[in-house]
Amino acid sequence: MLSKTVKKQRYALLAHPAKHSLSPQIHNYGFEVNRLNAVYFVIDTVASGAAVAEQIRRMPLAGCNLSLPLKETLLPELDEISINARLIGAINTVRNEDGRLIGENTDGTGMVADLAAHGVQLEQAQVLLLGGGATARAILTALALTPVVQVTVLQRANRPHFAQLQHLCAQLAAQTTTKLSCHDWQKIDQLEWSRFTLVINATSIGFGSHAEQAPLTAAQLQQLAPTTKVWDVIYEPRQSQLLQQADQLGLETHNGLGMLVQQAAGAFQFWTGKTLPVNEIQSFLK
């Protein structure tokens, strides 16, 4: 009796640009370690959410990760969205169950896991979060539901996401003891810098065409307590301008590589029910 050949499961990152991504290294190693008949690759695309949903079903992909703008534009095309992702208003992970597409967001929980892995006392944290896009909202949600003591968010009031950010803070306020506040970036000089124990940059300032820029000035960073830790979601370059400035002041700094691996671990578990070897992966990606 001939045994049936098990078809290789396919997973992908849908993004533009996509070729720089470390996700194939991360997930393919996870498949190998867990002895899963699966492969992960990148699809460079600028297609609409509807076109991408059709592509996921047609190929088919067993699961996928997404970058902006698909984190938001694919939402209306999904059959099911987790409560967490619906609250954030964005997804970064999709599971395909026989054509039924289910969306989740592991960005925020990935950041919280990385913070905990580096010994951050989350229950005592007072956080300054920079940005109001999909990644920032995911981090805000995860921190609030951890919970931490306080999260102060800075976003420009003239940006489309500012009202969405304010609405999210109002929704979270009913579910957490974390003190939440959202401020226009123009009020940055009114902040009480010395009280923050943690600063997280969730903007794109420091990446790509903005690689030579930093969201905060050295003068602003100097007002932080010497024990304040500075995180950047950016991992390429490894040391953004923000982290370079903070490091020069003697502050503890971390790039987004840990968050990348931790959010990938959440996605991997969501797809396969298996565990990604986080520590091993982080050691060979550095």
Side-chain angles (χ1 to χ4, degrees):
M1 184 176 182
L2 296 176
S3 60
K4 292 183 179 179
T5 302
V6 178
K7 189 174 181 180
K8 188 182 288 288
Q9 295 288 296
R10 295 188 290 179
Y11 298 83
L13 167 69
L14 294 118
H16 178 76
K19 292 182 180 179
H20 70 286
S21 176
L22 298 173
S23 292
Q25 293 181 57
I26 294 171
H27 290 294
N28 285 324
Y29 184 76
F31 293 145
E32 180 183 351
V33 169
N34 284 281
R35 298 184 179 182
L36 298 175
N37 186 23
V39 63
Y40 188 105
F41 51 93
V42 299
I43 300 175
D44 197 307
T45 180
V46 291
S48 68
V52 166
E54 196 277 330
Q55 184 178 16
I56 295 169
R57 293 186 175 102
R58 185 184 69 248
M59 289 188 70
L61 294 176
C64 64
N65 294 125
L66 309 163
S67 71
L68 289 169
L70 287 170
K71 286 184 178 183
E72 296 176 341
T73 60
L74 191 60
L75 272 175
E77 312 301 328
L78 300 182
D79 300 292
E80 183 180 337
I81 305 168
S82 73
I83 295 174
N84 181 56
R86 192 176 296 278
L87 188 64
I88 296 164
I91 54 171
N92 73 331
T93 302
V94 174
R95 184 173 70 221
N96 182 0
E97 296 183 353
D98 297 320
R100 181 176 172 80
L101 304 185
I102 304 170
E104 179 59 279
N105 195 310
T106 64
D107 279 334
T109 51
M111 172 57 81
V112 167
D114 189 44
L115 293 170
H118 284 91
V120 175
Q121 301 298 310
L122 291 166
E123 68 277 3
Q124 300 171 17
Q126 297 199 50
V127 186
L128 174 61
L129 177 62
L130 308 177
T135 301
R137 297 195 309 274
I139 293 171
L140 169 62
T141 300
L143 288 171
L145 298 180
T146 295
V148 299
V149 175
Q150 186 169 17
V151 182
T152 300
V153 190
L154 279 181
Q155 167 74 326
R156 299 192 186 281
N158 60 357
R159 295 290 175 87
H161 286 125
F162 190 75
Q164 187 176 8
L165 196 61
Q166 290 180 312
H167 181 63
L168 176 58
C169 284
Q171 287 181 295
L172 288 170
Q175 304 178 42
T176 181
T177 57
T178 300
K179 185 178 179 181
L180 304 170
S181 58
C182 177
H183 303 279
D184 181 2
W185 203 290
Q186 292 186 359
K187 296 182 179 180
I188 190 169
D189 291 329
Q190 299 177 20
L191 296 177
E192 187 182 342
W193 292 89
S194 60
R195 68 179 170 82
F196 296 118
T197 61
L198 177 64
V199 175
I200 301 173
N201 176 38
T203 76
S204 60
I205 301 174
F207 173 73
S209 61
H210 304 291
E212 298 306 314
Q213 302 174 27
L216 300 178
T217 66
Q220 289 163 342
L221 290 169
Q222 284 177 330
Q223 298 178 63
L224 295 168
T227 53
T228 302
K229 297 175 174 60
V230 181
W231 247 264
D232 202 324
V233 301
I234 295 167
Y235 62 87
E236 188 59 50
R238 295 289 192 269
Q239 282 292 98
S240 64
Q241 287 294 315
L242 173 67
L243 296 188
Q244 289 181 46
Q245 291 178 352
D247 186 62
Q248 289 170 4
L249 293 169
L251 300 175
E252 182 180 329
T253 62
H254 298 270
N255 62 33
L257 200 58
M259 174 185 168
L260 173 71
V261 178
Q262 293 285 2
Q263 66 80 24
F268 194 86
Q269 199 282 329
F270 181 66
W271 296 328
T272 69
K274 305 291 184 180
T275 301
L276 201 65
V278 169
N279 292 336
E280 291 177 38
I281 292 170
Q282 288 183 332
S283 67
F284 70 67
L285 286 182
K286 289 181 178 178

